[in-house]
Amino acid sequence: MKITAIDVWALALPLTRPYSLSGGRLRFDRLDSTLVRLTTDEGLIGWGEGCPWGSTYLPAFARGIRAGIEELAPAVLGLDPRRTDVVYRAMNLALPGHPYVKSPIDMACWDIAAQSAGLPLCDLLGGRTDGLVRLHSSIPSGTSDELMAEIDLARTEGYTFHSAKVGGDVESDIDRMRFLDARMEPGEEVTFDVNRAWLPAEAVAALNATTELHRVVEQPCETLDQHLQVRRLVSQPMAIDESLQTMGDLLRIIETGACEVVGLKIGRVGGLTVARRMRDLCIEAGIRMNIEDTGGTTLQATAAVHLAQATPEPFRRATWLCVEHLSLDPVEGGARNDGTGHTGAPTELGLGAHPDIAALGDAVACHHE
Ligand code: MG
C-alpha cells in the first residue's frame, strides 16, 4: 500500500463566544484549522487535522501547518501509511523540528493503519480499556462571577471536571481560586490553569497564600526552568502543559520530578506517534495525563480520545472536546460528550470520524504522486 495523494483544506472555525486565556492576554473568536486527507492506491483514505489554539498559545500557527505540509509532501508520497514510524522518520529527515506540522499527516496514517488492520484506532494504540473517558471543561478567564457562570453552564452539559483559567494579578487570582474552590460540589474537580502568566515570584506568592487549597495548578510560568524554581517553594500538586513539547522535555520533567500531571496535547508534541511514546513513558514514571489536543473539530479530538481510551484508567485524568466551543463542526461520527461529561472512542474501524466533504469547500492544496 502506498500514499498516492495528499489533499489539504483550510477551515475557519468560529467560536460560540470569544475565549480569553490568562487575564485576557490571549483573546480570540475563531480558530483556523487544517484538514488533511491521505489517499492510497488500495482505496483506503485517512483523515488528519491540525489546529493550534490561535497563534499566540504555542510556537505554532495554522498557516505554518499548510506551508509545512508542502515541504513534507514529496517525502511522504509513495510511502506505506501503515508504517507509521517509517513515515515519521521520513518527515523528520525532510523537515527537522516543526512537530505540529507533522501531526495531521501522522494522524491520517494511523487512521489508515487501523482501518487496514480491521481495528478501531484505540486497539492499535495499546488496546481499548474499560470505562468511559472523563472530559474536562475549559473555563475562560474572567471575574470570579464570570468563571462561576461558565462552570454552571458546563455543569448543565454534565461536566464535573473544570479547567479554570486564572493568571491575572496575584491578589485577584488568590480571590478567584478561593472562590471557585469553595463552590465545588462533592465529586467535582477544578484545576487552576495559569497558562504561563505568572512570573516565578508571583507564582510563589499566589500559591503560598492558598496552601489550604489542594487543587492542581497548571503551567504557572513561561518555562520549565521557572516552573522548577517555583516547584521547590510550593506544596500544591502541579501540572505541566505548554512546557512539554519534546521527548527531551519529558525526560527532564521525569528526572526532576517536576509535576504530578502532564497535559499531553497531540498536535503540540508532533502527532500520535510521538504522543504514544510519551504516554508509555508517563505510565512508567507514574505521571497522570490529560490526553487531548490544542483545538479543532471532532476529527482532531477523536484521535486524542482513542489514545486516552487506550491508556490505563489510573493514568488518564481527563480529555477536552474543543467542539463544545465551536459553532461549526462538519464531522460525522467521532467522540462526543455523552451528556454526563464523559466520552468514549468510536467502535468503527480506524478513527471512526470523517468530515462532510461538501462543507469543506475547495481544497487549498492537492499533492499527487
Ligand atoms: Mg493548559
Side-chain angles (χ1 to χ4, degrees):
M1 187 189 296
K2 63 177 183 174
I3 298 166
T4 54
I6 304 170
D7 297 298
V8 181
W9 285 264
L11 184 64
L13 297 174
L15 302 186
T16 50
R17 50 193 185 283
Y19 193 101
S20 295
L21 276 173
S22 309
R25 183 167 58 111
L26 316 169
R27 184 176 166 86
F28 44 89
D29 60 10
R30 62 182 50 236
L31 298 174
D32 181 349
S33 189
T34 302
L35 272 64
V36 174
R37 182 182 65 188
L38 298 187
T39 304
T40 63
D41 60 342
E42 294 187 17
L44 286 180
I45 61 164
W47 282 97
E49 181 178 13
C51 183
W53 188 235
S55 296
T56 51
Y57 174 55
L58 291 170
F61 69 112
R63 285 174 296 126
I65 295 180
R66 299 192 282 269
I69 289 172
E70 221 173 297
E71 292 292 313
L72 292 173
V76 171
L77 286 166
L79 297 182
D80 185 335
R82 298 169 300 182
R83 298 177 182 176
T84 48
D85 278 358
V86 172
V87 174
Y88 208 91
R89 180 162 165 73
M91 290 198 288
N92 276 345
L93 290 173
L95 183 67
H98 304 278
Y100 72 104
V101 165
K102 295 162 187 166
S103 184
I105 292 175
D106 181 61
M107 176 178 155
C109 287
W110 278 98
D111 184 15
I112 291 169
Q115 291 176 58
S116 170
L119 296 168
L121 178 52
C122 59
D123 283 332
L124 218 54
L125 294 169
R128 182 183 299 273
T129 58
D130 293 334
L132 293 168
V133 175
R134 194 177 188 187
L135 296 170
H136 69 79
S137 66
S138 180
I139 306 297
S141 182
T143 64
S144 294
D145 288 334
E146 285 167 347
L147 286 162
M148 208 51 228
E150 290 281 345
I151 287 176
D152 281 337
L153 199 60
R155 283 170 170 165
T156 66
E157 293 157 357
Y159 285 91
T160 57
F161 196 138
H162 310 285
S163 173
K165 308 300 174 188
V166 296
D169 71 278
V170 168
E171 287 310 314
S172 310
D173 280 330
I174 290 169
D175 291 343
R176 276 192 279 259
M177 289 190 288
R178 288 189 178 136
F179 182 89
L180 296 183
D181 176 78
R183 280 157 186 80
M184 287 299 109
E185 291 166 1
E188 258 188 328
E189 279 192 54
V190 63
T191 291
F192 301 124
D193 190 356
V194 189
N195 290 121
R196 336 194 282 278
W198 287 334
L199 298 175
E202 294 174 316
V204 171
L207 298 181
N208 283 340
T210 54
T211 49
E212 76 281 10
L213 313 181
H214 298 288
R215 306 292 184 182
V216 172
V217 177
E218 184 168 310
Q219 192 72 41
C221 300
E222 186 69 38
T223 67
L224 185 52
D225 283 314
Q226 292 173 0
H227 175 96
L228 292 169
Q229 202 179 324
V230 172
R231 170 78 160 171
R232 285 192 289 273
L233 300 170
V234 304
S235 58
Q236 282 87 342
M238 300 185 90
I240 287 178
D241 187 351
E242 290 99 302
S243 289
L244 169 55
Q245 295 186 23
T246 66
M247 193 61 82
D249 293 333
L250 182 56
L251 292 173
R252 183 146 184 254
I253 285 167
I254 293 170
E255 188 188 355
T256 55
C259 58
E260 286 73 22
V261 172
V262 297
L264 186 50
K265 290 194 169 73
I266 312 288
R268 191 187 63 224
V269 301
L272 284 167
T273 293
V274 179
R276 180 187 60 149
R277 294 173 190 158
M278 288 185 171
R279 184 272 314 262
D280 293 342
L281 204 49
C282 285
I283 289 173
E284 294 302 325
I287 296 175
R288 302 183 74 203
M289 291 162 274
N290 291 337
I291 298 176
E292 54 202 19
D293 215 320
T294 50
T297 68
T298 291
L299 206 61
Q300 189 161 332
T302 300
V305 170
H306 273 289
L307 185 61
Q309 188 77 69
T311 299
E313 195 148 12
F315 297 97
R316 65 172 192 248
R317 189 163 171 262
T319 297
W320 173 63
L321 299 185
C322 180
V323 64
E324 308 275 58
H325 298 264
L326 304 178
S327 54
L328 176 73
D329 186 42
V331 174
E332 291 162 21
R336 312 273 170 174
N337 181 356
D338 68 359
T340 72
H342 292 80
T343 190
T347 54
E348 291 88 352
L349 305 188
L351 195 59
H354 60 271
D356 170 11
I357 291 266
L360 300 186
D362 294 332
V364 293
C366 304
H367 307 276
H368 295 267
E369 231 190 347

